[in-house]
Amino acid sequence: MSFDRSIKIAPSILSADFADFGREIQAIEEQGADWVHVDVMDGHFVPNLTFGPTAVAAFRPHVRTFMDVHLMIAPVDPYIEAYAQAGADMITAHAEAGPHLHRTLQAIKATGKMAGVALNPGTTAETIGPVLDLVDMVLIMTVNPGFGGQKFIQSGVEKTQTIRRMIGDRPIHIQIDGGVTVETAPLVAAAGADVLVAGSAVFRGGSVANPAPYGQNIRAIREAAEAGIPC
Ligand code: DX5
Ligand code: ZN
């Protein structure tokens, strides 16, 4: 995949109909999603449980764009290979998930997949300075991970500016995850983010039987973000 900083919208299927993932993925892609964001939760690192590697492998044939797998699990190293085998294009691990972040990112890169590092709202940008050269993406959490539909945490905007400065001209995406709406998208886009995850703000008002609202929501978030970027 060639690198660019254009705005990409990555709907989180955490807000999809859990009995109908194949058609939900098809619907969001037909309605303009750039990436499909898959939130993996373990009931330990975060207080919720979602998808094992078997579920993620079942999503894979339905994804025509880019499968972005966000691992909110600890320990993470024992499961990297399984999520790579499941067909992830990008695997993101949390900086807080274990004591050996550098080793974790090396393990992701060793699978041949793209590697992301995620930061919780309570973790400083500087934490990942030493591993930036190992990653293809930094995921900045703007809610505490575990659930969709939470309120955007404003300090993520300043953290995004800091990370953008740290990255300089390196080809590293900045992803924002949590509370992204038409109101918050311009703030993070202006601060330097290029990949916007949105769960509730994309799936709101639509369904596989009535997917047009997904498209309206995706376009509205994209336009708001693009309008926030200084010329
Ligand atoms: C939270 C997840 C997010 C979440 C975003 O732990 O990582 O991807 O689904 O949901 P919204 O957009 O509703 O905040
Ligand atoms: Zn996520």
Side-chain angles (χ1 to χ4, degrees):
M1 191 182 64
S2 66
F3 182 85
D4 71 60
R5 290 203 181 281
S6 63
I7 295 294
K8 290 161 280 293
I9 307 296
S12 165
I13 59 169
L14 192 60
S15 293
D17 176 353
F18 268 46
D20 210 354
F21 283 114
R23 292 202 298 164
E24 288 277 41
I25 289 166
Q26 187 184 346
I28 53 174
E29 290 191 335
E30 283 174 2
Q31 294 295 325
D34 298 290
W35 293 10
V36 175
H37 185 81
V38 179
D39 283 309
V40 174
M41 305 186 181
D42 68 350
H44 166 74
F45 181 69
V46 291
N48 198 357
L49 280 166
T50 57
F51 314 121
T54 313
V56 175
F59 304 154
R60 178 69 256 187
H62 301 279
V63 177
R64 302 225 167 107
T65 55
F66 184 84
M67 190 160 73
D68 170 34
V69 176
H70 177 191
L71 298 180
M72 288 164 274
I73 65 177
V76 59
D77 292 10
Y79 302 102
I80 288 169
E81 185 60 37
Y83 284 98
Q85 289 288 330
D89 293 303
M90 171 89 74
I91 298 178
T92 298
H94 268 260
E96 306 85 0
H100 302 296
L101 177 61
H102 189 280
R103 177 185 291 152
T104 298
L105 296 170
Q106 281 182 318
I108 296 172
K109 295 300 278 186
T111 66
K113 306 297 183 175
M114 294 176 84
V117 61
L119 292 173
N120 280 334
T123 305
T124 62
E126 289 71 20
T127 306
I128 56 166
V131 297
L132 268 186
D133 280 321
L134 282 173
V135 302
D136 301 288
M137 186 174 81
V138 178
L139 186 169
I140 299 168
M141 291 299 311
T142 40
V143 298
N144 285 299
F147 304 96
Q150 302 183 81
K151 191 173 176 302
F152 181 84
I153 297 172
Q154 203 71 30
S155 59
V157 175
E158 201 183 322
K159 193 186 288 183
T160 303
Q161 293 168 341
T162 305
I163 301 267
R164 183 68 194 86
R165 276 196 301 273
M166 288 166 64
I167 286 174
D169 57 10
R170 287 179 273 194
I172 302 173
H173 296 289
I174 299 180
Q175 182 174 69
I176 303 296
D177 190 1
V180 170
T181 63
V182 289
E183 285 79 32
T184 57
L187 309 177
V188 291
D194 64 303
V195 188
L196 307 186
V197 175
S200 44
V202 165
F203 285 89
R204 178 178 306 137
S207 67
V208 293
N210 175 32
Y214 296 169
Q216 288 155 10
N217 294 337
I218 289 169
R219 282 191 295 280
I221 297 166
R222 190 192 308 281
E223 282 165 19
E226 287 171 347
I229 299 171
C231 303

